[in-house]
């Protein structure tokens, strides 16, 4: 059961919480859950940026030619970031 406590707990909400408690249903504060999910997303993005910094050359055409001189690193960097976000469970 998700509970939003931002504006307080109404009398009806209180009864629902008591009923859920008696039935053994776990109550999750939705505001804390949203905060947790946002923190988790920021952590995933930070790991993806770190991966992109370390591995962008693997996504670069110039690295296959043994010379990156003259190549723009933004595209390989973005590809590496997208790959890391898509495969975040591997990071």
């Amino acid at each position: 059961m998700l509970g939003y406590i931002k504006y307080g707990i109404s009398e009806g909400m209180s009864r629902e919480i008591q009923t859920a408690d008696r039935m053994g249903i776990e109550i999750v504060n939705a505001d804390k859950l949203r905060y947790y999910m946002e923190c988790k997303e920021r952590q995933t993005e930070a790991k993806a940026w770190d991966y992109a910094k370390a591995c962008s050359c693997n996504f670069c055409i110039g690295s296959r030619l043994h010379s990156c001189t003259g190549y723009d690193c933004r595209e390989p960097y973005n590809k590496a970031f997208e790959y890391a976000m898509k495969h975040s469970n591997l990071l």
Side-chain angles (χ1 to χ4, degrees):
M1 175 175 161
L2 286 174
Y4 290 94
I5 307 176
K6 185 174 183 178
Y7 300 110
I9 298 176
S10 67
E11 190 176 319
M13 253 179 107
S14 180
R15 284 194 304 271
E16 288 180 0
I17 291 170
Q18 290 172 1
T19 303
D21 190 38
R22 274 187 262 129
M23 294 177 72
I25 298 171
E26 185 177 354
I27 301 164
V28 176
N29 180 335
D31 297 324
K32 288 183 180 177
L33 180 62
R34 184 177 345 109
Y35 176 76
Y36 171 79
M37 296 303 289
E38 288 170 357
C39 288
K40 197 77 163 153
E41 179 69 22
R42 283 193 299 269
Q43 289 174 349
T44 301
E45 285 180 357
K47 287 180 183 179
W49 286 122
D50 290 342
Y51 175 85
K53 288 177 194 173
C55 300
S56 62
C57 288
N58 295 336
F59 294 83
C60 181
I61 297 170
S63 67
R64 291 179 188 83
L65 302 172
H66 305 289
S67 171
C68 284
T69 308
Y71 287 96
D72 186 4
C73 292
R74 284 179 288 189
E75 185 178 339
Y77 188 84
N78 289 335
K79 285 181 181 179
F81 176 77
E82 289 173 16
Y83 176 84
M85 287 299 289
K86 187 174 181 180
H87 299 89
S88 62
N89 58 329
L90 301 175
L91 298 177

